[in-house]
Structures are given as structure tokens and as C-alpha cells.
Amino acid sequence: MVTPTSGTGAQSVGPALDILLCFHDNAPDFHDNAPDLSASEIARRLELSTSTAHRLARALLDAGFFEQDHRTARYRLGPAVTELGRLSYHRRGPHLVARELTDLAERTGTTADLALRGGPYAVIVAGGSVTPRVGPRRPLHSTALGKVLLAWPPPGEGGVESLPPLPAFTDRTIVDSARLAAELDQVRARRYAVNDGESAHGIRTVAVPVLDHIEAARFALALRGTPDLITAERTEWFLDQGPRLRLGHRGAAAAPGRAPPHDRTPCAPRRLSGRESVDDTDGW
């Protein structure tokens, strides 16, 4: 939940942002093909009064962030959200490597994904794992993508200490902060992360960081498959496939508005500038 700082404006902005995030945080509504909420449902989920939820929802509706079904009076995300999302997506540049990710997946027989960090989640911005049923977010602590993003945090992003309690998804999930910190030390030492059934059984993922000029992970790149495909003996081979992506500065996705150079392989800081483990659904 967004925590406002001080002042009347901040006190209004915080709940309004919480309402927007409510649509994301209640993913089952989308899975059931019902991506809309009533004012009373929003109020109940965010512990607001119905009148407050209705007032904030109307403000978001007027600004284009919500649409309303005139038959049911229920709200759904509006065109302003879509527009901002598209602008951010193209500004960050992951669309420039979509074709290369497809090629990487076909060449390796895995699912290839590119992700960035969004709070306690790895958010997949390009690749083959995002579906209407699954969505783009993966927990940081139980995925190879997430471990890479935690191991090379940019300034202002917290490490293990910034995460909420670590839930277990399988019997292999690391739920102890000290153990996770030790795991990240190993990730930094070997320059890649592995998720071996920590988010879902039967899935193995390898991931690497896509580093920027200050050695922070701008993105994480992952290959997801089964343990029979991504074996311990073949891990190095999979990791060596990543640098073929035409990425920009030190492996980071090409700078906003600029196509990546096509006449050279990108610098791969110490092996694909960041690798991520590939797992399905939540197995990344």
C-alpha cells in the first residue's frame, strides 16, 4: 500500500494510487475475465469508506485512469493507464529485443524473458511467459529473475532487508532472509542465478543481469525450462546463448529512442551481463 508523506495532497494521492494497484493486486479478478470492481469492493479491499472509494474512483474516471460500465457501475482501468504503460515500455526499450528473445527461445528450446524490478517483484516486460492467466509479476526471492535484480540493485532500491515476509511456494523456496542474502552472495560470485523448483515444481530457470554503466541490474534475462532440459551439465551452454542478444550499453536494452547496433555483439560484462533462471508461471 502507498504510504503518503504529509499534507492534504499526499493524503489524497496515496489512496488513489492504492485503488489503481488494487486492480493489479487482485489478479484473480482478471483470471475470471472480470477485470472490474465496484466502489464497495474497492472500499472493502482497501479498508476505506464506500463514499471515499466512490469519490476517488470518480476522480480517476474523470482523469481517464478508469472507465465505468454504465450498466453495472463497476470500474475498470482506463485508456490513460494504457497510454502511460505504452510510453514507459517504449521509453525503457525492451521492445527492441523482442525478436531476439524469440530467437533465443527457439534456439534453446526454453522460454526467454526480460524483466525489471518493481518493488518486491520482478516485472516481465518482454518474452514468452506473460499470459492472461499468469500476468507479468514474479516474486523476487523465489525466482532467478528476482535474485539477479536483488543481487545488483540500482541506487535507491533496497536489498533483502527491504522485502516483506518471504512466502513459501514449494518446499525449496528460501524463506529466511539470512539464507537469501547468502544465496545472493553466490549469485554475484558466479554471475548468474538459478531457480530450481523454488516457485513451482518441475521448472528450472537460469538468469543473468543486464548491467548498466554503474554495474546495477537494469534488467534481468532468464531462460526457463524443465530440469531435464536445463541440466547442471548444460547450464554453461545456456548461459553462453544470452550475449547473442543485440543489447545496448554493457548489455542493457538499447537506449530510449535508439535502435541497438546491428554490426556488433554487445559487451557482456562478465558473461551475459546478467542471467536469470527460467521457470514457468511463477517459476522464473
Side-chain angles (χ1 to χ4, degrees):
M1 182 172 289
V2 176
T3 302
T5 52
S6 61
T8 304
Q11 293 172 1
S12 298
V13 169
L17 293 176
D18 285 336
I19 290 180
L20 287 172
L21 295 175
C22 180
F23 281 79
H24 200 314
D25 293 338
N26 290 277
D29 291 321
F30 291 88
H31 300 167
D32 295 337
N33 295 317
D36 52 5
L37 294 171
S38 67
S40 60
E41 287 171 334
I42 292 171
R44 183 176 67 254
R45 296 181 187 198
L46 296 180
E47 298 181 353
L48 300 171
S49 68
T50 301
S51 61
T52 297
H54 180 74
R55 174 176 56 81
L56 292 170
R58 293 296 303 181
L60 291 168
L61 177 68
D62 292 341
F65 288 93
F66 274 3
E67 291 180 334
Q68 188 174 37
D69 188 319
H70 296 292
R71 294 176 299 114
T72 64
R74 296 170 70 86
Y75 297 98
R76 56 179 171 262
L77 296 178
V81 176
T82 302
E83 181 182 3
L84 290 175
R86 294 287 293 178
L87 286 171
S88 177
Y89 177 76
H90 286 278
R91 177 77 177 168
R92 292 177 180 272
H95 63 292
L96 298 172
V97 296
R99 185 170 59 183
E100 284 81 358
L101 285 173
T102 299
D103 177 71
L104 180 61
E106 292 176 350
R107 188 169 65 250
T108 60
T110 64
T111 300
D113 282 334
L114 191 72
L116 51 76
R117 182 172 175 178
Y121 299 98
V123 181
I124 297 175
V125 293
S129 288
V130 178
T131 67
R133 185 179 67 84
V134 178
R137 298 199 299 182
R138 305 290 185 271
L140 290 176
H141 72 289
S142 63
T143 61
L145 284 170
K147 292 176 189 177
V148 161
L149 294 169
L150 281 171
W152 286 275
E157 289 279 11
V160 174
E161 74 286 348
S162 69
L163 299 181
L166 311 178
F169 301 104
T170 74
D171 56 353
R172 296 188 174 190
T173 306
I174 298 175
V175 296
D176 177 75
S177 296
R179 279 191 59 205
L180 180 58
E183 171 78 2
L184 297 182
D185 287 339
Q186 295 182 27
V187 169
R188 283 185 286 267
R190 68 192 179 203
R191 308 294 291 185
Y192 68 91
V194 174
N195 168 13
D196 193 2
E198 296 167 49
S199 288
H201 288 297
I203 296 296
R204 181 172 292 160
T205 304
V206 293
V208 293
V210 177
L211 303 176
D212 63 15
H213 65 287
I214 61 170
E215 295 283 312
R218 184 178 178 187
F219 296 98
L221 172 64
L223 297 176
R224 184 186 75 247
T226 65
D228 291 338
L229 177 63
I230 305 177
T231 62
E233 295 76 18
R234 299 191 69 207
T235 297
E236 289 294 327
W237 180 86
F238 282 102
L239 293 174
D240 287 340
Q241 306 308 303
R244 298 188 187 186
L245 282 176
R246 294 192 185 99
L247 303 173
H249 179 65
R250 289 187 63 73
R258 265 191 323 199
H262 292 283
D263 57 349
R264 60 187 174 91
T265 302
C267 276
R270 303 182 190 92
R271 183 188 270 177
L272 177 48
S273 125
R275 311 178 182 222
E276 126 114 51
S277 198
V278 180
D279 63 44
D280 198 13
T281 61
D282 291 337
W284 278 99

